[in-house]
């Protein structure tokens, strides 16, 4: 998933505005870590663990690598209630006219549904909520409720009941129904803290700015798909990316919530063509599965064809199997890539989407699990330039760029890969800036992450960190996040999780 979550909507508070263009969409995604940071002498670093998964989630705000994006200009501080100023000359995306709800295209159900139950059978119910886990979350909620921006929602207010009254009511509700319902303030707080706990996100300074779209009443696949498209429209904002999360119906003891099969709401197809892959090799399996459901790729097929949404409904729709819905072109903002110095770069025909929305991680808050809770931040340039376009198992563009630059590619000792990766990343950063689309850079975001660490320490909290995801994939030693140790991630508190079935669905496996 992308390395940070895109900045969620600035709903109240942080005096730190995100990059004026999207920061990496690194999803908050990984196991959070209880980290009490310990400074380390420059150069004394821990070897990074092998990085796996798609680092493309936006990074800035929630920013997330397979991952969100922001303009290269260093953001100026803004008032607590303000959002970052809109980038100049932002591209126009979409229209103001209301769009009719897209209808899913039914398909013959696969051998198994998203919950692993044979098609036509209702999935097994989940266990009842643990009252102790619910109480632990609620006590944290009340303890931090007065912290600026932690729980405030537009049109909402701080909790009006006492902690003991609320805990007693929740325990009674769990005893009666096996679960309970979060208030809007609790849901907002839980989602924001899950971002704050995201060990793989470098953009957590903006955790209080996450904008909540509460869609817990939505379970039907066509409505889930329509709301996902609405998320794209609301979060993109013509390039002035807003960190946003849309939360759908949770799993309960009596019914499952909906599932979004896509790894991110916007991903490019990968087609098997005579031993080679046209497009993104990472999504060949998902592309094959979408086609088996009836999706027809554009003609001619290209390297950057946006995949459809694949959704399994919740509740009464759970046993009907996945359905696909195409994403309207006007809801996908893309940036054509060109280089500030090399005119030939534009001839490579590269482009990338502006909004990284991680869509297959489950959000766990106080014992309640929301299996469909897509969220975004903005991209960091390295996520696209040094990973998505450079990795050998992705678009693998380094050799072609190096040859265009006239570099000697006969030996790795010429460092042609390094030089090509830097130029690819520069092209991404430059192109997003010119287009007025939010995008973070790894130097500025590293500085802001250390600011986040300082604030968490001042608040008496630990900060989960996965070193191998926080340190950027290029020029790591030139950033301050490289030169220190961090505590290992833990598995407690509100957080985003990836389960094996979600990972399999993202790969196109109908388990």
């Amino acid at each position: 998933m992308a390395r940070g979550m895109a900045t969620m909507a600035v709903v109240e508070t942080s005096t730190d505005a995100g990059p004026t263009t999207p920061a990496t969409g690194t999803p908050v995604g990984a196991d959070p870590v209880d980290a009490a940071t310990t400074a380390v002498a420059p150069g004394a670093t821990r070897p990074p663990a092998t990085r796996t998964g798609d680092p493309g989630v936006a990074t800035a705000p929630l920013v997330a690598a397979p991952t969100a994006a922001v303009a290269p200009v260093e953001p100026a501080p803004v008032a607590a209630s303000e959002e970052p100023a809109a980038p100049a000359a932002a591209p126009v995306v979409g229209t103001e006219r209301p769009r009719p709800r897209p209808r899913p295209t039914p398909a013959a159900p696969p051998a198994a549904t998203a919950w692993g139950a044979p098609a036509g059978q209702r999935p097994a119910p989940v266990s009842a909520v643990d009252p102790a886990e619910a109480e632990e979350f609620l006590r944290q909620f009340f303890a931090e409720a007065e912290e600026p921006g932690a729980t405030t929602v537009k049109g909402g207010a701080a909790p009006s009941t006492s902690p003991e009254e609320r805990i007693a009511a929740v325990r009674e509700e769990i005893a009666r129904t096996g679960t309970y319902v979060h208030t809007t303030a609790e849901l907002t707080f839980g989602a924001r803290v899950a971002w704050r706990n995201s060990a793989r996100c470098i953009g957590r300074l903006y955790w209080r700015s996450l904008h909540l779209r509460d869609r817990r009443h939505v379970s039907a696949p066509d409505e889930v798909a329509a709301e996902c498209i609405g998320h794209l429209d609301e979060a993109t904002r013509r390039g002035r990316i807003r960190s946003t999360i849309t939360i759908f119906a949770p799993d309960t003891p009596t019914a499952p919530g909906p599932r979004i099969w896509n790894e991110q709401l916007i991903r490019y197809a990968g087609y098997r063509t005579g031993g080679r892959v046209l497009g993104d090799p990472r999504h060949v399996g998902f592309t094959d599965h979408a086609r088996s459901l009836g999706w027809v790729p554009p003609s001619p097929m290209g390297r950057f064809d946006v995949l459809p949404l694949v959704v399994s409904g919740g509740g009464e729709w759970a046993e009907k199997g996945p359905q696909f819905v195409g994403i309207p072109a006007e809801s996908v903002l893309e940036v054509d890539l060109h280089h500030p110095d090399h005119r030939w770069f534009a001839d490579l025909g590269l482009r990338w989407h502006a909004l990284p929305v991680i869509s297959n991680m489950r959000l766990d808050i106080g014992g309640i699990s929301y299996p469909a809770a897509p969220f975004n931040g903005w991209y960091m340039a390295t996520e696209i330039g040094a990973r998505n376009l450079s990795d050998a198992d992705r678009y693998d563009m380094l050799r072609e760029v190096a040859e265009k630059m006239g570099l000697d590619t006969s030996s790795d000792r010429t460092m042609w890969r390094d030089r090509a990766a830097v130029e690819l990343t520069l092209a991404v950063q430059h192109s997003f800036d010119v287009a007025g689309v939010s995008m973070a850079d790894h130097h500025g975001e590293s500085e802001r992450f250390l600011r986040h660490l300082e604030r968490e320490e001042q608040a008496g909290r630990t900060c989960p960190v996965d070193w191998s995801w926080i340190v950027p994939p290029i020029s790591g030693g030139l950033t301050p996040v490289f030169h220190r140790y961090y505590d290992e991630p833990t598995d407690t508190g509100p957080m985003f999780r990836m389960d094996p079935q979600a990972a399999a669905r993202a790969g196109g496996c109908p388990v």
Side-chain angles (χ1 to χ4, degrees):
M1 69 187 146
R3 165 171 315 192
M5 196 192 284
T7 16
M8 310 211 182
V10 176
V11 194
E12 249 281 286
T13 104
S14 178
T15 55
D16 300 288
T20 52
T21 34
T24 80
T26 295
V28 179
D31 303 319
V33 150
D34 269 350
T37 48
T38 304
V40 172
T45 60
R46 178 184 68 193
T50 301
R51 185 184 320 219
T52 60
D54 177 327
V57 197
T59 71
L62 191 93
V63 187
T67 113
V70 179
V73 182
E74 177 72 17
V78 296
S81 61
E82 291 184 287
E83 293 185 4
V92 176
V93 182
T95 65
E96 299 303 320
R97 296 180 294 102
R99 185 172 52 256
R101 175 193 299 170
R103 305 303 299 181
T105 303
T113 65
W115 261 46
Q121 294 184 17
R122 192 170 188 75
V126 297
S127 301
V129 172
D130 180 355
E133 190 173 352
E135 178 174 344
E136 180 181 14
F137 165 70
L138 291 170
R139 292 198 181 282
Q140 180 184 13
F141 168 74
F142 279 95
E144 297 186 33
E146 299 306 316
E147 185 172 326
T151 64
T152 307
V153 188
K154 185 175 182 180
S160 57
T161 61
S162 71
E164 299 308 323
E165 289 174 329
R166 175 57 177 155
I167 290 170
V170 165
R171 282 185 171 275
E172 186 279 330
E173 188 176 357
I174 293 174
R176 181 168 39 87
T177 67
T179 186
Y180 68 106
V181 178
H182 287 130
T183 65
T184 301
E186 290 166 359
L187 188 68
T188 300
F189 175 73
R192 290 176 180 171
V193 171
W195 179 5
R196 190 177 78 193
N197 285 341
S198 184
R200 293 183 176 183
C201 177
I202 195 175
R204 284 176 275 169
L205 176 64
Y206 320 97
W207 67 273
R208 297 182 187 86
S209 72
L210 180 59
H211 173 59
L212 170 68
R213 300 177 76 243
D214 186 351
R215 299 298 186 269
R216 286 177 287 176
H217 60 286
V218 176
S219 288
D222 61 326
E223 295 177 346
V224 171
E227 289 296 346
C228 286
I229 292 170
H231 180 124
L232 295 178
D233 293 337
E234 289 186 32
T236 300
R237 303 195 306 174
R238 294 185 169 89
R240 190 164 173 255
I241 306 298
R242 184 184 200 187
S243 298
T244 302
I245 185 168
T246 299
I247 301 179
F248 294 102
D251 286 340
T252 70
T254 58
R259 265 72 173 157
I260 300 170
W261 288 47
N262 306 62
E263 179 181 61
Q264 290 190 31
L265 294 185
I266 303 173
R267 278 308 209 189
Y268 294 122
Y271 307 107
R272 305 176 197 272
T273 57
R276 305 190 55 163
V277 173
L278 173 65
D280 193 339
R282 180 178 179 83
H283 304 119
V284 167
F286 190 90
T287 302
D288 289 346
H289 185 65
R291 297 178 78 172
S292 75
L293 295 177
W295 177 64
V296 178
S299 181
M301 296 183 295
R303 289 192 295 169
F304 299 97
D305 295 341
V306 176
L307 286 161
L309 296 173
V310 176
V311 178
S312 297
E316 62 188 280
W317 294 275
E319 69 263 21
K320 298 183 184 301
Q323 301 180 36
F324 76 88
V325 174
I327 301 177
E330 63 267 25
S331 295
V332 181
L333 174 59
E334 297 180 287
V335 177
D336 292 326
L337 304 184
H338 55 281
H339 195 281
D341 304 318
H342 303 307
R343 299 185 64 179
W344 50 260
F345 194 96
D347 297 333
L348 297 175
L350 301 177
R351 65 174 183 268
W352 207 258
H353 56 91
L355 189 69
V357 187
I358 299 167
S359 51
N360 70 336
M361 297 190 76
R362 79 172 47 245
L363 171 61
D364 290 343
I365 302 175
I368 296 179
S369 186
Y370 299 93
F375 60 87
N376 74 274
W378 43 73
Y379 272 117
M380 192 158 72
T382 53
E383 294 300 333
I384 301 172
R387 297 305 310 275
N388 297 339
L389 295 177
S390 293
D391 285 358
D393 59 350
R394 299 296 298 283
Y395 279 83
D396 196 19
M397 292 297 302
L398 291 183
R399 183 174 293 276
E400 186 171 353
V401 169
E403 290 174 348
K404 289 283 189 179
M405 293 172 63
L407 303 180
D408 178 4
T409 61
S410 63
S411 169
D412 287 342
R413 292 181 66 82
T414 65
M415 297 191 181
W416 62 270
R417 297 179 193 278
D418 311 69
R419 297 168 67 183
V422 168
E423 296 306 318
L424 256 175
T425 302
L426 174 60
V428 170
Q429 186 77 67
H430 171 75
S431 302
F432 272 65
D433 291 347
V434 170
V437 176
S438 302
M439 157 95 37
D441 69 272
H442 53 294
H443 294 290
E445 215 53 57
S446 294
E447 294 284 355
R448 287 187 280 274
F449 181 68
L450 293 189
R451 204 150 70 231
H452 169 68
L453 286 180
E454 292 173 1
R455 290 188 179 181
E456 290 302 288
E457 290 170 355
Q458 291 170 2
R461 294 190 290 261
T462 55
C463 184
V465 176
D466 183 335
W467 191 96
S468 66
W469 281 72
I470 295 300
V471 174
I474 60 172
S475 307
L478 301 181
T479 63
V481 294
F482 180 91
H483 302 283
R484 60 181 299 158
Y485 285 106
Y486 304 97
D487 286 347
E488 295 300 318
T490 59
D491 192 29
T492 60
M495 64 187 302
F496 292 93
R497 303 175 191 271
M498 176 65 70
D499 59 55
Q501 285 194 345
R505 287 192 297 269
C509 180
V511 297

